[in-house]
Amino acid sequence: MAKIKKKGTSGQAKNYITRTQAVRKLQISLPDFRRLCIFKGIYPREPRNKKKASKTSTPNTTFYYTKDIQYLLHEPLLNKFRDQKALAKKIARSLGRGEVSDAARLEKNHAPKLTLDHVIKERYPTFIDALRDLDDALSLLFLFATLPSDKHVPPKTIALCQRLCHEFQHYLIVTNSLRKSFLSIKGIYYQATIQGQDIMWLVPYRFVQRVNGDVDYRIMATFVDFYTTLLGFVNFRLYSTIGLRYPPKFDTRSDENGAELAAFTLEGRTVGDKPKAIEPSKGQTNGSNKEVSKEVQAKVDKVIKSAGLDQTKDEQAMDTTEESTDAIDRFEPTAPEADTLPQPDMSGNEAGALFAPFVFYISREAPKAPLEFILRSFGCKRIGWDAVMGDGAFTHDETDPRITHQIVDRPQLPAESLPAVPAASENAVQKVKPGTRIPGRTYVQPQWVWDCINDGKLLRADLYGPGATLPPHLSPWVKPSRGGYDPRASLAEQEEEGEAEMAEDVEDAEDSDEEMADDAAAVNEKPAEESEDESVDGGMDVAGTDDDESDSEEGSDEEADEAFGGFEEEAASESEDDDEAARNQHQRELEAEAAGLPFSSSGAKDEAAKKKTSQSKKLAAKKRQEEEELERQKMMMSRKKRKLLEKMMHSNKKQSDEAAKLRSKRRKLEKGEKGSQK
């Protein structure tokens, strides 16, 4: 007889463990268990069958892998958590006895310090793994760097996040690793390429943040502790690869004055170190070395010339090939109907030379921090701003003749509404009246900087002038698909065949319906006396008369006849339309003759209407043929392929409908703008 298996010893019941069981097995509190799971990267799991995995009848149960919890038993952080718990008991005992000094001493000198170095090494065996997981870390640290200090968020944590974020930005500036950026509702998205890895993060706008109590800041603080350790390791490795000392020098006084990025000073590892001189060997002097080297070099040159191996030409050829390989290849489509391949981004040299020859001045109303970071990342070395915005500027004088571009974000106002500028003293910087333009300088709005770096080239500055209607700011990561709406392209390039004519016909029909409705409303508006007379004489009809019934019967017979139509209905309708059009044209010619006008002016509208009707009929017939052909093809398909085709057609139709709706809105806007200009 086979041995009976005990319930809960195999299968899902053995592979999964509940959170309560895990906490009891590790012998720690629930908050410490959460912290430990966040540090180690262990998350709840969902079993296939909760009834088999759970030994209880509780439906809402959090499960973990049993192997993960078994792995946590040997974690060194468990001892730190237990030491913290023992210390908390000692402090509570001292406070209960009234020994406040002993409690303060225990908290200051005997508090165990958590180190997450070994956790970082375990979770990220290679540096590429750490770079791949850097998106969430940067987003969270940039968020905490903008939060106000509170009881939930201590100022030390905010200062640490700011310092690490500025160090990372300095690396991007030095290496020109920033590639794209986008202004969204949530904040500013950035994308950088570091060692072949694309890293994207979100930086919130610098508005006044309100810390709500809905967020569990204990869990957020745990993530911040882990991510600050991770970013510190990453920054050290990145600085070491380019030969810079880490951490860079930090000027606290300059940072308090609002310098931000300018408060850091980067230094190389060999700065200030004298290179070691090479000692000559015994029995030789410096002069003999020089003479020997000259003699040897002359002999080598003779041998090379005699053999015909001249290296200068080869070196020049190598240099030209190296210069040619620096440029990034572009993938051109071989056919117009072929798929468009994603183009590679710009190289570091191109990014470093985009704004290199310019000197920028940031006005007070423009966002200084993101503009400074982007401009420096793309090669600009000299950036100025007003002294109110902080230290670290190239110049605080707005009238400096070296400034080539000024970034403004306020519209042009009349001179009468501008305030007067107070007279400046001799040592003070000369003030410029708001709204004035210095000749020889290009004024642009901040969006010009973002659009230039996303396109990889300098765009026309006149389209981004002060007070101008800006072009659409599109996400650089969303490419326009085939059949979709592209705001940058013109309507003529995106419209389907006959779409504009059909839209005009619909608008004309809507206008005619509105006119008929207005006429009907005017006819229905009668004086009160007439309406009273009609109500007295006519009264209210309760039932229809015999004449009405006969009329309704005749109408129903006519409707039935019209519903059948016959086989030659289309040809007959076309001939009737032609006859009616001819009669209308003849009538208009007679009216034009009586008015003394030429016939051509009256017949032009008729011809245009005829063309429109013929085009619409041709388009309808073509569409009908395509639908019939598609139905015939679907009949030859299997059921599975037919279902797949219907899904594809549904998604394509949804996309085309959205694009057509956006095109119609744009068409109305352009029509309204043209009407206002007239």
Side-chain angles (χ1 to χ4, degrees):
M1 185 176 177
K3 188 176 180 181
I4 300 175
K5 287 186 178 181
K6 191 176 180 181
K7 186 178 180 181
T9 57
S10 63
Q12 295 190 26
K14 184 180 180 182
N15 295 333
Y16 294 93
I17 186 173
T18 62
R19 188 177 65 182
T20 306
Q21 294 172 351
V23 170
R24 289 176 181 173
K25 192 169 187 177
L26 297 175
Q27 297 181 2
I28 56 175
S29 61
L30 183 59
D32 290 341
F33 176 73
R34 287 173 177 164
R35 292 183 67 193
L36 186 60
C37 289
I38 290 172
F39 289 151
K40 300 292 289 184
I42 295 173
Y43 301 99
R45 307 293 179 176
E46 187 71 19
R48 294 182 180 179
N49 193 342
K50 283 190 174 183
K51 291 184 179 179
K52 293 182 179 179
S54 177
K55 300 176 184 177
T56 60
S57 60
T58 307
N60 297 327
T61 307
T62 304
F63 293 93
Y64 292 88
Y65 281 142
T66 307
K67 290 185 177 180
D68 291 343
I69 304 303
Q70 196 76 20
Y71 172 67
L72 291 179
L73 285 171
H74 308 284
E75 177 58 39
L77 291 176
L78 282 176
N79 297 328
K80 297 290 184 180
F81 290 154
R82 289 164 184 158
D83 293 342
Q84 286 181 350
K85 189 175 181 181
L87 180 66
K89 288 182 179 179
K90 292 180 181 178
I91 292 174
R93 189 182 302 114
S94 299
L95 291 176
R97 295 174 180 173
E99 300 171 353
V100 181
S101 59
D102 292 344
R105 178 181 54 82
L106 288 172
E107 186 177 4
K108 183 178 180 180
N109 299 329
H110 297 278
K113 295 181 180 180
L114 297 178
T115 55
L116 305 177
D117 302 348
H118 66 285
V119 179
I120 300 295
K121 292 179 182 178
E122 289 175 5
R123 291 189 60 177
Y124 307 108
T126 63
F127 186 61
I128 299 298
D129 296 332
L131 290 178
R132 288 173 182 168
D133 201 20
L134 208 59
D135 300 350
D136 296 335
L138 290 173
S139 299
L140 187 64
L141 294 183
F142 272 99
L143 171 63
F144 267 75
T146 58
L147 290 179
S149 60
D150 193 16
K151 61 179 180 180
H152 304 292
V153 186
K156 289 184 179 179
T157 303
I158 297 173
L160 178 61
C161 294
Q162 289 177 352
R163 184 177 62 83
L164 291 172
C165 293
H166 288 154
E167 290 172 358
F168 182 73
Q169 285 180 337
H170 269 293
Y171 171 79
L172 299 180
I173 291 171
V174 171
T175 57
N176 303 118
S177 300
L178 190 66
R179 291 291 174 266
K180 297 176 183 178
S181 181
F182 176 63
L183 299 167
S184 70
I185 299 176
K186 298 179 181 179
I188 304 175
Y189 284 93
Y190 295 98
Q191 182 183 1
T193 303
I194 302 175
Q195 298 186 8
Q197 301 296 322
D198 292 334
I199 302 170
M200 185 188 299
W201 69 97
L202 176 65
V203 179
Y205 294 113
R206 296 197 174 184
F207 298 140
V208 178
Q209 302 284 347
R210 294 184 178 179
V211 180
N212 298 326
D214 302 337
V215 182
D216 192 349
Y217 283 94
R218 293 180 299 174
I219 296 178
M220 300 287 284
T222 305
F223 277 103
V224 169
D225 292 340
F226 176 73
Y227 285 146
T228 49
T229 309
L230 172 62
L231 189 57
F233 274 103
V234 170
N235 286 345
F236 172 75
R237 179 68 179 271
L238 292 176
Y239 275 63
S240 301
T241 53
I242 59 177
L244 294 178
R245 285 184 178 178
Y246 186 82
K249 285 187 177 181
F250 179 66
D251 189 356
T252 309
R253 184 177 179 183
S254 181
D255 184 67
E256 290 176 354
N257 293 331
E260 295 185 352
L261 287 174
F264 293 84
T265 304
L266 303 183
E267 293 180 347
R269 283 186 172 180
T270 57
V271 172
D273 299 336
K274 295 182 180 180
K276 296 180 179 180
I278 301 175
E279 298 180 357
S281 59
K282 295 182 179 180
Q284 292 182 351
T285 60
N286 294 335
S288 62
N289 280 338
K290 290 180 181 179
E291 292 175 0
V292 170
S293 62
K294 286 180 180 179
E295 292 176 358
V296 172
Q297 186 64 36
K299 291 180 181 180
V300 171
D301 292 340
K302 287 181 181 180
V303 173
I304 290 173
K305 288 180 181 180
S306 63
L309 302 174
D310 193 0
Q311 293 181 351
T312 57
K313 296 180 180 179
D314 298 337
E315 289 177 357
Q316 292 176 359
M318 289 292 292
D319 293 339
T320 55
T321 54
E322 288 178 359
E323 291 177 359
S324 62
T325 53
D326 286 342
I328 297 179
D329 296 333
R330 295 291 175 183
F331 304 117
E332 300 294 339
T334 56
E337 65 273 5
D339 295 335
T340 56
L341 297 175
Q343 301 295 337
D345 296 331
M346 68 177 78
S347 62
N349 296 332
E350 295 176 357
L354 189 61
F355 298 131
F358 305 131
V359 180
F360 283 85
Y361 187 86
I362 303 174
S363 299
R364 288 182 296 173
E365 70 276 2
K368 187 204 80 171
L371 284 173
E372 181 190 3
F373 170 55
I374 290 178
L375 292 175
R376 293 193 186 279
S377 299
F378 283 84
C380 184
K381 303 296 182 184
R382 297 174 293 179
I383 306 173
W385 55 77
D386 195 273
V388 181
M389 302 170 67
D391 294 343
F394 168 70
T395 179
H396 296 301
D397 186 8
E398 191 175 351
T399 61
D400 195 330
R402 294 172 292 180
I403 298 173
T404 59
H405 291 71
Q406 184 166 349
I407 302 174
V408 296
D409 200 12
R410 61 165 68 100
Q412 290 182 344
L413 299 174
E416 296 81 10
S417 61
L418 297 176
V421 178
S425 60
E426 296 180 357
N427 298 328
V429 178
Q430 184 179 358
K431 297 290 184 180
V432 179
K433 187 176 181 180
T436 57
R437 299 289 178 258
I438 299 175
R441 185 179 299 182
T442 304
Y443 288 85
V444 292
Q445 297 189 41
Q447 185 182 329
W448 179 78
V449 178
W450 271 270
D451 290 349
C452 285
I453 66 172
N454 291 335
D455 290 352
K457 60 182 180 180
L458 296 175
L459 302 177
R460 290 174 51 187
D462 56 339
L463 300 177
Y464 298 85
T469 302
L470 297 174
H473 181 61
L474 305 178
S475 173
W477 301 285
V478 179
K479 301 299 180 183
S481 58
R482 185 178 298 174
Y485 175 71
D486 187 7
R488 295 186 178 180
S490 61
L491 277 176
E493 298 175 358
Q494 304 181 70
E495 287 176 342
E496 298 178 357
E497 186 180 357
E499 183 180 354
E501 290 79 3
M502 293 174 65
E504 289 180 2
D505 294 341
V506 171
E507 290 178 0
D508 295 341
E510 290 178 356
D511 295 340
S512 61
D513 292 341
E514 290 178 359
E515 291 176 0
M516 291 174 64
D518 295 338
D519 296 340
V523 170
N524 291 332
E525 289 178 357
K526 295 181 179 180
E529 296 177 357
E530 295 181 3
S531 61
E532 289 178 359
D533 296 340
E534 289 176 359
S535 62
V536 170
D537 295 339
M540 184 172 63
D541 294 335
V542 178
T545 58
D546 298 336
D547 297 335
D548 297 336
E549 293 176 358
S550 61
D551 293 340
S552 63
E553 290 175 0
E554 292 176 359
S556 62
D557 295 338
E558 291 176 358
E559 290 176 358
D561 294 338
E562 290 175 1
F564 175 68
F567 296 102
E568 298 179 354
E569 178 184 3
E570 188 174 353
S573 62
E574 289 180 0
S575 61
E576 289 176 1
D577 292 341
D578 295 339
D579 295 340
E580 187 177 356
R583 285 196 298 270
N584 291 335
Q585 183 179 2
H586 182 64
Q587 181 67 25
R588 287 171 183 159
E589 288 178 358
L590 292 176
E591 292 176 357
E593 185 178 359
L597 299 174
F599 297 137
S600 60
S601 63
S602 61
K605 294 182 180 179
D606 245 0
E607 292 178 0
K610 277 186 179 181
K611 287 182 180 179
K612 283 185 179 180
T613 53
S614 63
Q615 287 179 359
S616 61
K617 287 180 182 179
K618 287 180 182 178
L619 289 173
K622 186 178 179 181
K623 189 175 182 181
R624 198 182 308 114
Q625 289 179 0
E626 291 177 355
E627 290 177 355
E628 292 174 357
E629 182 66 24
L630 184 61
E631 289 295 330
R632 283 195 293 269
Q633 292 177 0
K634 286 170 66 175
M635 291 172 63
M636 303 298 293
M637 293 181 180
S638 62
R639 185 176 180 182
K640 185 177 181 180
K641 292 183 178 179
R642 194 184 308 121
K643 294 272 187 182
L644 183 60
L645 179 62
E646 288 175 356
K647 288 182 180 179
M648 292 170 58
M649 290 173 59
H650 176 72
S651 60
N652 292 338
K653 186 177 182 301
K654 188 176 180 182
Q655 182 182 3
S656 61
D657 291 344
E658 291 177 356
K661 189 183 295 184
L662 293 173
R663 286 195 295 269
S664 65
K665 287 183 179 179
R666 182 174 175 181
R667 196 179 295 110
K668 290 179 181 178
L669 288 173
E670 291 182 356
K671 189 176 181 181
E673 290 177 358
K674 290 180 181 178
S676 62
Q677 289 176 1
K678 291 179 180 178

